[in-house]
Amino acid sequence: MDAGEGKASHEEPGRRAFFARLFWSGIALVSAGLAIPVGGYFLSPLFVKPKGHEVDLGELESFPLGEPKRIEFAMRQREGWITRAVRAIAWVVRQKDRVVVFDPHCTHLGCAYHWDPAADRFFCPCHGGVFSINGCVKAGPPPRPLDIYPSTVRNGRLYADLSPVRNVGVGTWRCGAHGNRPSKV
Ligand code: FES
């Protein structure tokens, strides 16, 4: 065996190890490149904030003028990967120049309230909360006016965004002559 042959056979394992490292580094890089978008696709529903849930509540004309109407409807709600249909309730008050969609829960402790046409008031049976047709507190313990769902009228139909309930704190809500913030009709 001459000296050159001995040197070549000595360098061979080192070169093989180098190429093996190069190969596995390449595999690791490609895997990481694939894992980030694929993992992001599967995990994103956990971190993405749900967008607003706009719901078609029907023809504006189907809501009587000056008479609150309780409506029940189904809406799709997304939680993580799961989307399911849930039943929702709202009170719609249509007046000559505006329409307001109220969350159906009393702002005291969340009981369901109802409309009393004879008294022209919303009443909450739990602790005697009383609200005007505009959702302003008239009596009882509720700390703020009724919460409303932002709503809009398009092509004669009423739509409400049921995801953000406008929860306005004490003292910041104008419950005077203008009542609650209305949708333009
Ligand atoms: Fe309505 Fe208490 S929950 S008054």
Side-chain angles (χ1 to χ4, degrees):
M1 183 169 54
D2 63 19
E5 227 176 88
K7 192 176 166 198
S9 66
H10 179 70
E11 283 175 353
E12 198 60 31
R15 199 177 308 150
R16 267 208 302 271
F18 170 74
F19 281 118
R21 268 203 303 275
L22 199 65
F23 173 76
W24 287 114
S25 304
I27 294 285
L29 266 175
V30 170
S31 304
L34 285 174
I36 290 168
V38 171
Y41 174 79
F42 285 108
L43 294 177
S44 58
L46 294 178
F47 302 108
V48 171
K49 260 178 105 177
K51 291 210 172 99
H53 300 290
E54 190 179 75
V55 178
D56 181 351
L57 300 182
E59 292 281 342
L60 182 65
E61 295 294 322
S62 68
F63 298 101
L65 259 181
E67 180 73 18
K69 185 177 175 184
R70 181 183 183 274
I71 50 167
E72 283 190 36
F73 49 91
M75 59 178 279
R76 289 160 70 79
Q77 197 172 64
R78 187 173 159 189
E79 282 169 21
W81 295 279
I82 299 167
T83 303
R84 56 183 178 176
V86 293
R87 199 177 64 108
I89 293 169
W91 280 90
V92 177
V93 175
R94 178 182 161 221
Q95 290 172 325
K96 222 165 64 191
D97 57 344
R98 61 189 169 174
V99 60
V100 183
V101 182
F102 289 113
D103 176 274
H105 302 102
C106 175
T107 51
H108 180 220
L109 294 178
C111 286
Y113 57 83
H114 63 270
W115 175 249
D116 181 341
D120 202 32
R121 292 276 187 263
F122 288 110
F123 281 99
C124 176
C126 291
H127 312 97
V130 181
F131 302 88
S132 71
I133 194 168
N134 289 326
C136 299
V137 180
K138 290 297 175 189
R144 63 176 191 277
L146 293 176
D147 292 326
I148 67 171
Y149 296 129
S151 59
T152 180
V153 176
R154 290 196 305 269
N155 301 324
R157 297 191 73 82
L158 176 63
Y159 297 87
D161 184 342
L162 300 190
S163 108
V165 176
R166 199 175 295 170
N167 190 339
V168 179
V170 184
T172 60
W173 191 272
R174 285 186 306 161
C175 255
H178 302 294
N180 287 322
R181 289 175 225 171
S183 292
K184 286 270 183 272
V185 175

